Amino acid sequence: SRRVSVRQGGAGAMRFRRRRISAGAVALCGFASASVSEYDRLCDQIEKRSMEAGALYNRGRTAEAFAALDGVRESFRAAKLLQPTEPQAYTSFATSMLNSQQFDEAMSAWKSAASLVPSGAVHDWIQ
């Protein structure tokens, strides 16, 4: 499985960073490299669509903003299907929903992310 590290972001926020692994390591682990790169693409898409939704909302384009949030949800569902035990999609989605004031969805995603991370400082921070 891929390793996840944490880096300090702006305003003291923590964010997971995905570490890319070599194609050979992926093959040895029995994962298709296409699904790993697709997972990374979907995680990036969650973040990109979230930023688009915020920008649209701030410009008063509410209907388009909510449509962009639906795109965030679609990317999240697709990422979960590819790598259901990886926390990155959950944390990206949770942050997106929190920033969009979709608190129930955010809490559910944070709880799921916490269940995927071993005990320790990061696990405690997520909870």
Side-chain angles (χ1 to χ4, degrees):
S1 106
R2 297 177 322 152
R3 293 183 44 173
V4 177
S5 65
V6 177
R7 68 178 166 150
Q8 198 70 14
M14 296 177 98
R15 176 180 171 193
F16 287 95
R17 270 179 58 176
R18 297 177 305 278
R19 290 189 182 167
R20 306 231 186 253
I21 56 177
S22 71
V26 170
L28 288 174
C29 294
F31 296 110
S33 64
S35 68
V36 172
S37 62
E38 177 66 6
Y39 179 81
D40 288 339
R41 186 189 70 75
L42 288 165
C43 289
D44 291 341
Q45 199 171 51
I46 290 168
E47 295 171 13
K48 179 182 176 193
R49 287 179 168 175
S50 178
M51 288 187 287
E52 289 171 1
L56 288 165
Y57 185 83
N58 289 338
R59 285 184 260 158
R61 296 165 60 184
T62 308
E64 292 172 86
F66 282 107
L69 281 181
D70 287 340
V72 170
R73 290 178 182 99
E74 289 172 23
S75 296
F76 174 61
R77 282 191 292 272
K80 280 194 317 184
L81 288 174
L82 286 176
Q83 300 286 330
T85 61
E86 284 292 323
Q88 179 62 46
Y90 293 90
T91 58
S92 295
F93 181 72
T95 301
S96 175
M97 292 298 106
L98 179 65
N99 291 339
S100 303
Q101 298 182 6
Q102 307 297 308
F103 301 119
D104 291 340
E105 287 178 277
M107 286 303 298
S108 176
W110 279 120
K111 288 176 183 178
S112 294
S115 73
L116 298 172
V117 178
S119 294
V122 173
H123 181 269
D124 295 342
W125 176 78
I126 288 175
Q127 287 188 333

